Structure formats: structure tokens, C-alpha cells
Amino acid sequence: MIEIDSTQIGPDHRPYIIAEVGINAQNDLTLAKRFIEEAADAGADAVKFQTHIADTEMVESEMRSIGAGEVYDTIADCEWSIQEHRELQSHADRHDVTFLSTPFSADAIDILDEIDVPAIKVGSGEMNNRHLLEYAASTGKPLLVSTGMNTIDEIEATCAFLDDVAIEYALFYCVSAYPTTAADFDFKTIEVLEKIANTPVGFSDHSTGVEAAKVAIGNGAALIEKHFTIDRRLPGPDQEVSIEPDELRDICEFATLYNDTSNKKDGLADEEVEIKQWAQHSVVTTETIDKGEELTKKNTTTKRPGTGLSADRYFEFIGQRVTTSINQDTILKPKHIDSD
């Protein structure tokens, strides 16, 4: 079990829902605040951005040499200053939703540590980055680590490293394809990761729609991270795999429903107790029975309501003698049976 912003995450707790804004708001602060408001209104536990400092996470000349210059340009256009981080975090606080972000460099981690985020998300591309993992762990904050594009052997090696350097962490089952299709998923991996790490495992979802997230919850996902937008018509590379507010609300409501119906409950519901009284059967006479006569299959049956000798003990009563004469169609009570 881990804890984020006083919310416990793990077995027997409602799945923790993270609305992943990422770079969908680009660097438009006003738009980003609308994302926060909509995510909070939909019931998300956290709203997550990405903390980029292009020159500290990429070598521009090398990115361009391999044909990835557009990636550099996109990231450079999506940077937030520390003051803008604070402003977004404060806005999230005012709307009662936790502010999180994914850093992609040590300098970005410094920003998140400075504003005191309650946890640090590590993307799949950084899962094997020992330098970044150790630096993030040194903040003492819980780490939320995605596992996409990594083999089980690689995940096991990273978990062994995290066991040494991190105070606590959670994993996310993830398939790093955009968009992910149903054929790409193997949700039994959630259980595999739980056994490897002995820690809560979530699902970072890059598919369209909400179905995969719900299936993941049904397979034990303790957290759901889902790309989120207020309108898929907005520009940005992740809009296609993002859900809109109504869909986010659907996931949040499902998470609550799943938790409410999956936890062990002691005893019967009050309404069940009331229904049980009339819905179950008692032992009933089919004819007049004289005092001292034995109860038999011929002179008894079972009928509603269940206010007398219970039908589940019917064969215990057969052969016992009655203590008084009993009319036909009488519900038998303990007083009618010779307890000797």
C-alpha cells in the first residue's frame, strides 16, 4: 500500500484515478486551469501534467540528426516555469484535486520537489534510467513507475533497484502504443507485476474510450492513469487517445461502484433481513395433528413466511412429537416440538 496526499492506495481501497493532461494544454495556463476544473468536477483524484525542460532532457542536435526534431520542438513549446507550476498546483488545491506531474530530467525533478508534489510519476521511457530513478527517489516521495516497452526481466531489475533506493513506489502496467488496441492488452500482467514488486499496480491507459480502464480495475488495478482532454478537437499529439469529461466521470463512478461492491461485508443488509422474514419458508402442518403425534412428510410441508421453524431444518423435525394439538395450515414454532 502507498499513500498520496493522505489517500491510501492498494487492496480494499477505491482505485485511484489520475487524469493525465500531459501536454494537451500545451503551455496555455488558462486552458490548463480549465482542464483542472473539469477533471475535479468529474471526480478524479489527481490531475497530472508533464514537466519538460527541453535542453535538460534532450540533445537538440542529436534529436534532429535522427529525424526527431519535431519532438524537440513540441516539448520546447510545452514548458512550464516553476511559478506556473505553483499556479497550477494552487488551482488544483482550490478544486480539491491533487496536482501531479511527470519529470523528464533531474532539473524537472528539482521543480517538482521545490513545489512539494506528493508523488513523482516516472514514464515508461525512464523506467530503466537509474540516474533519474535514484534522483527522483532521493526526494523521499512515492514513485509511480510505468513499465511500457520493458520486458519482465527489465521490470524485475528495476524493482530490485527501487527496493534499494525508494521509500515506496507503485507500478503501472502499460503498453506503449498510441492508440493501444484490445489485442495489445494482457491484463493478467497486473497480477504478475504485483507478485514481482509486492506493491500496488495500476494501469496507464493509451487506448481510446473507457472500456480498457474498467477491465483493468476488474483485474485488480489499484490506480488508473488516463489521458484527458476537455475537447479532442484541440491540437496536440495525445488528443486522439484522450477521454473527455463525461468519459472521465464514467471511469470515476465505475471505480467507486467497483470498490463499493468488492469489499467484504459482514452480515446481511437491513433490507435483506426484512425480505428474508417473508421470502423464506417455515415448516407448516398439512392436516390436524394430535398431541403426541409424530411429524411426518405426510402431515407437514413448507410455506412462507419464515417466521416459524426454518425449512432448512425440515428433516430434523420429521419424527419429532408435538406437545399440543395443532390445526391444519399452522406455522410450527419451537413451542410445538418436544425438545426431549
Side-chain angles (χ1 to χ4, degrees), residues 103 109 120-122 131-143:
I109 291 172
I120 293 178
K121 177 68 198 307
V122 178
H131 165 248
L132 203 68
L133 287 174
E134 190 279 334
Y135 199 78
S138 71
T139 66
K141 301 178 186 301
L143 305 185

Side-chain angles (χ1 to χ4, degrees), residues 121-127 144-148 150 170-174 204 206 225:
K121 177 68 198 307
V122 178
S124 294
E126 283 65 53
M127 196 207 80
L144 309 176
V145 184
S146 280
T147 61
N150 286 280
L171 298 180
F172 282 82
Y173 168 55
C174 177
S204 182
H206 300 146
E225 178 188 52

Side-chain angles (χ1 to χ4, degrees), residues 253-274:
E253 291 175 350
F254 180 83
T256 299
L257 175 65
Y258 183 84
N259 183 64
D260 289 346
T261 57
S262 298
N263 290 328
K264 181 180 178 181
K265 296 177 174 62
D266 295 325
L268 300 175
D270 291 344
E271 186 175 355
E272 283 187 301
V273 173
E274 295 176 7

Side-chain angles (χ1 to χ4, degrees), residues 183-325:
D184 297 320
F185 293 124
D186 178 7
F187 287 114
K188 295 304 179 185
T189 304
I190 292 173
E191 183 178 357
V192 173
L193 297 181
E194 287 174 341
K195 291 178 179 177
I196 289 172
N198 192 30
T199 192
V201 174
F203 173 51
S204 182
D205 187 8
H206 300 146
S207 68
T208 58
V210 300
E211 291 80 8
K214 291 181 178 181
V215 174
I217 290 173
N219 278 273
L223 311 91
I224 296 293
E225 178 188 52
K226 182 71 178 173
H227 281 282
F228 172 68
T229 184
I230 58 174
D231 190 333
R232 276 188 288 270
R233 294 171 297 180
L234 289 169
D238 294 332
Q239 299 290 350
E240 177 187 4
V241 296
S242 298
I243 57 172
E244 295 181 343
D246 286 349
E247 295 168 298
L248 177 60
R249 181 174 292 103
D250 186 12
I251 292 177
C252 293
E253 291 175 350
F254 180 83
T256 299
L257 175 65
Y258 183 84
N259 183 64
D260 289 346
T261 57
S262 298
N263 290 328
K264 181 180 178 181
K265 296 177 174 62
D266 295 325
L268 300 175
D270 291 344
E271 186 175 355
E272 283 187 301
V273 173
E274 295 176 7
I275 294 175
K276 181 178 181 179
Q277 189 173 38
W278 64 259
Q280 294 190 348
H281 285 218
S282 300
V283 181
V284 177
T285 58
T286 59
E287 58 188 53
T288 299
I289 302 176
D290 295 329
K291 179 179 178 180
E293 189 177 344
E294 288 186 354
L295 297 177
T296 66
K297 292 183 184 179
K298 182 176 180 297
N299 63 20
T300 59
T301 188
T302 59
K303 291 185 181 182
R304 292 174 173 175
T307 53
L309 299 179
S310 176
D312 68 347
R313 299 178 60 196
Y314 178 77
F315 290 103
E316 295 179 32
F317 301 130
I318 297 301
Q320 294 195 38
R321 298 182 183 279
V322 297
T323 58
T324 185
S325 294

